[in-house]
Amino acid sequence: MNRFLQLFQNIPLKWRLTFSSSFLMFLTFILFSIAQYEILYNWLLDQEREAVIKTRDEVAAYYQQVNRPNQDIHIRDLENVLLKLNDKHQVIRILDRNHNIVISVSNEFQQQLAPADYPTIEGIEQFRYKGDDYLVTWEHVNTRSFQGTVEVVRNLTSFQDLIHIILLITIGFASATILISIVSGIIISRQYINPIKELNEDIMKIKEEGFQTRVKESKHEDEFKELTKIFNEMLERVEDTLQGQKQFVEDASHELRTPIAVIDGHLSLLNRWGKHDPEVLEESLEVCKTEINRLQKLIVELLDLTRSEAVIEEIDIKPIEITEVIEQLTKSFSVLHPEFEITCHTEVFGHQQVQISKHHLEQILLILLDNAVKYSLEDQRINVKVLKEENSIVLEVKDYGIGISHLEKEKIFHRFYRVDKARSRDMGGTGLGLAIAKRLVKKYKGTISVSNKEEVGSSFIVKFPII
């Protein structure tokens, strides 16, 4: 059995579906036919029994009636009555108390059967004699003038012929069912296999041409359409991820190339002749140190960006009241930048908690404050505001710097993007801060957006759901 199952699992899916569906259809028909045959067989046999018993009861009732006192009927007349009561392939016999045949009438009944001794008052039995099946029923009659037995024997040849015909018809239908089930199995398997074959061909095409190719969606509203839709969505995410990785590598290479080129240039200068000039040596070492610090900061922010994309389990995050954290961090940041007027205004009352890591909240706020410092001009004011809006806590950081043009609003959250590249580089920026902030906010099911007027300032708005 195990070997058969192993062989069955190794054949192509198309033939497995064909065989399975055909077998189930055939098995269903066979079980139904067997049940139908048994029911029909028993019903027809019961009809034969009822007919024999009815004849016996009529003969017994008639015989008791004619054997009453003052009833004188000739035996020839009695035989004529029994012939009328008799059915085809049946014999009616009247036996005396010694089991001798008094009257016997038959209708196409060929066998000569010996009388039997019946122990019970009445009954019915089925027996086989010389290859034929028979039903025999009897009833004892006891009147003043006669004591004996009424016996009715029916040959079941017609019944057996009818059952044989029904069996042949059933076998014929079963044979036809085998062909129909095979054809139906092939059709059904094609209905399921063809979409799989098309999906396999599309996948091979994607393997050859790349992730920009898509799987054809099914025209029917079924599971295959849902599968192809999910598969295409997965391909889009994979393509976006690969494209993002490619862009990230290109951007990172570009950002690393500049400080490395600067360091290489100054070291080459020193190697040629600059090491003998104290001023040139001092200047080159200072520039190399600056660029190394820039590289260190870039590497740290790249690591932060990678960590921001990691999955965090919600069970590891404890809800916090962000108002206190924001106020404390704003005061600390004001100490680092005394030349700026940094204010913090909160409009959140009660215990309003947000599910976010304290470290990540501080990191987001530091990025926004640092960004505001870098792009502020003469008006060195920064306003931090915390308020409640429906089911969210809103954090707003507003500066009065150079602002952001409408075309650049969507780009500022991209990695390595800078609004003012020269100013950002002079201030030590890498263009990763807002990208990190966006990913951290998104991780905690929040949103971040920017509202601004160019040359008037920018407002970064962060929203977190209240728990």
Side-chain angles (χ1 to χ4, degrees):
M1 185 66 181
N2 292 333
R3 187 177 179 182
F4 172 78
L5 291 175
Q6 187 176 3
L7 291 173
F8 179 75
Q9 291 174 353
N10 290 331
I11 64 176
L13 181 60
K14 174 182 178 181
W15 295 113
R16 271 189 283 166
L17 285 174
T18 301
F19 177 79
S20 300
S21 57
S22 302
F23 177 75
L24 289 175
M25 292 176 64
F26 178 72
L27 181 63
T28 302
F29 177 80
I30 289 298
L31 293 177
F32 175 77
S33 298
I34 291 174
Q36 188 180 39
Y37 176 82
E38 286 295 323
I39 293 172
L40 191 59
Y41 178 90
N42 292 324
W43 182 77
L44 291 174
L45 185 60
D46 288 341
Q47 295 297 310
E48 294 288 336
R49 289 173 180 268
E50 291 176 3
V52 172
I53 292 173
K54 181 181 179 182
T55 302
R56 180 204 68 188
D57 292 343
E58 289 177 347
V59 172
Y62 179 77
Y63 205 80
Q64 288 178 352
Q65 182 179 4
V66 299
N67 278 281
R68 291 177 181 176
N70 302 322
Q71 295 285 340
D72 186 16
I73 298 180
H74 195 270
I75 192 169
R76 179 65 60 185
D77 296 331
L78 187 58
E79 289 180 350
N80 291 334
V81 173
L82 294 180
L83 282 172
K84 293 179 180 180
L85 295 176
N86 201 13
D87 291 331
K88 196 173 182 180
H89 303 296
Q90 187 171 269
V91 61
I92 301 175
R93 297 191 299 190
I94 309 298
L95 309 178
D96 61 15
R97 60 172 38 178
N98 296 319
H99 310 299
N100 297 317
I101 299 175
V102 178
I103 302 175
S104 177
V105 294
S106 62
N107 187 354
E108 296 185 17
F109 192 92
Q110 305 298 329
Q111 295 291 346
Q112 297 294 325
L113 302 176
D117 183 12
Y118 301 109
T120 56
I121 296 176
E122 62 179 32
I124 184 169
E125 291 181 358
Q126 183 175 346
F127 66 93
R128 192 172 184 82
Y129 180 72
K130 292 184 178 182
D132 291 335
D133 290 325
Y134 295 88
L135 276 176
V136 58
T137 183
W138 66 90
E139 183 177 344
H140 295 310
V141 178
N142 189 8
T143 64
R144 291 183 180 181
S145 59
F146 180 79
Q147 289 83 34
T149 303
V150 175
E151 179 192 68
V152 180
V153 182
R154 181 188 287 266
N155 192 322
L156 295 177
T157 301
S158 299
F159 167 76
Q160 294 293 346
D161 291 343
L162 179 59
I163 291 297
H164 183 66
I165 292 171
I166 293 174
L167 183 61
L168 291 177
I169 293 174
T170 303
I171 294 173
F173 273 110
S175 302
T177 302
I178 293 176
L179 297 176
I180 295 172
S181 60
I182 292 174
V183 174
S184 301
I186 293 174
I187 294 173
I188 292 172
S189 65
R190 284 181 178 177
Q191 292 292 322
Y192 288 99
I193 292 297
N194 286 343
I196 297 177
K197 288 177 65 177
E198 292 177 0
L199 179 61
N200 184 55
E201 291 173 358
D202 290 339
I203 292 174
M204 294 301 296
K205 190 175 180 181
I206 291 170
K207 181 180 177 182
E208 295 174 357
E209 299 180 2
F211 288 104
Q212 68 275 8
T213 308
R214 294 291 179 267
V215 175
K216 296 178 182 176
E217 291 191 5
S218 174
K219 298 179 181 178
H220 307 288
E221 296 294 334
D222 54 12
E223 288 78 4
F224 283 111
K225 183 171 183 178
E226 184 177 356
L227 175 63
T228 53
K229 184 178 179 181
I230 294 173
F231 191 81
N232 283 333
E233 290 176 355
M234 182 189 69
L235 286 178
E236 290 178 2
R237 293 185 63 181
V238 171
E239 186 180 11
D240 291 343
T241 300
L242 292 176
Q243 187 65 32
Q245 290 178 350
K246 180 181 178 182
Q247 186 65 40
F248 176 77
V249 171
E250 292 176 355
D251 293 342
S253 300
H254 174 76
E255 294 297 322
L256 292 170
R257 188 183 300 117
T258 301
I260 290 174
V262 172
I263 294 172
D264 181 65
H266 281 274
L267 291 177
S268 297
L269 176 64
L270 294 176
N271 187 47
R272 289 197 305 271
W273 58 270
K275 59 186 175 182
H276 302 294
D277 187 336
E279 292 184 3
V280 174
L281 178 60
E282 181 68 24
E283 181 183 356
S284 295
L285 290 177
E286 188 66 30
V287 171
C288 289
K289 184 179 179 181
T290 302
E291 294 301 324
I292 289 173
N293 290 335
R294 192 191 306 278
L295 283 173
Q296 288 177 338
K297 185 175 181 181
L298 178 62
I299 292 170
V300 169
E301 293 197 353
L302 286 173
L303 291 174
D304 288 341
L305 183 64
T306 302
R307 294 191 188 101
S308 70
E309 294 174 346
V311 177
I312 294 179
E313 296 291 339
E314 291 188 2
I315 57 175
D316 297 333
I317 306 170
K318 295 181 179 179
I320 62 172
E321 295 183 18
I322 68 173
T323 304
E324 182 179 349
V325 177
I326 293 172
E327 289 177 345
Q328 184 178 356
L329 185 61
T330 303
K331 290 179 182 179
S332 300
F333 194 81
S334 299
V335 175
L336 294 175
H337 298 275
E339 71 278 12
F340 279 81
E341 181 185 343
I342 304 175
T343 61
C344 182
H345 178 68
T346 60
E347 297 180 6
V348 177
F349 304 99
H351 299 283
Q352 304 294 336
Q353 292 185 323
V354 173
Q355 192 166 19
I356 186 173
S357 166
K358 180 182 178 182
H359 169 68
H360 287 161
L361 177 61
E362 292 175 344
Q363 190 175 3
I364 293 168
L365 182 55
L366 282 174
I367 289 171
L368 298 180
L369 290 172
D370 187 60
N371 200 65
V373 168
K374 289 176 183 177
Y375 292 97
S376 292
L377 298 175
E378 290 81 8
D379 195 346
Q380 295 183 329
R381 289 181 298 156
I382 300 174
N383 297 331
V384 178
K385 184 184 293 186
V386 185
L387 53 92
K388 181 182 178 182
E389 185 178 288
E390 296 182 351
N391 295 323
S392 301
I393 295 293
V394 180
L395 167 63
E396 180 182 356
V397 178
K398 179 177 177 57
D399 65 70
Y400 299 87
I402 63 174
I404 305 170
S405 68
H406 180 73
L407 296 176
E408 292 179 315
K409 284 177 64 175
E410 295 298 325
K411 299 178 182 179
I412 60 173
F413 295 104
H414 294 175
R415 290 171 293 199
F416 301 108
Y417 187 82
R418 303 182 186 91
V419 175
D420 187 340
K421 296 178 175 55
R423 180 179 177 84
S424 179
R425 179 169 294 278
D426 292 338
M427 296 294 293
T430 61
L432 290 173
L434 291 178
I436 295 172
K438 182 176 181 180
R439 281 160 178 76
L440 289 175
V441 170
K442 186 177 180 181
K443 179 179 295 186
Y444 294 102
K445 301 178 182 178
T447 61
I448 183 170
S449 59
V450 60
S451 174
N452 73 288
K453 292 182 180 179
E454 195 170 359
E455 298 182 358
V456 178
S458 305
S459 293
F460 284 89
I461 300 171
V462 181
K463 293 183 180 180
F464 291 109
I466 299 174
I467 62 170

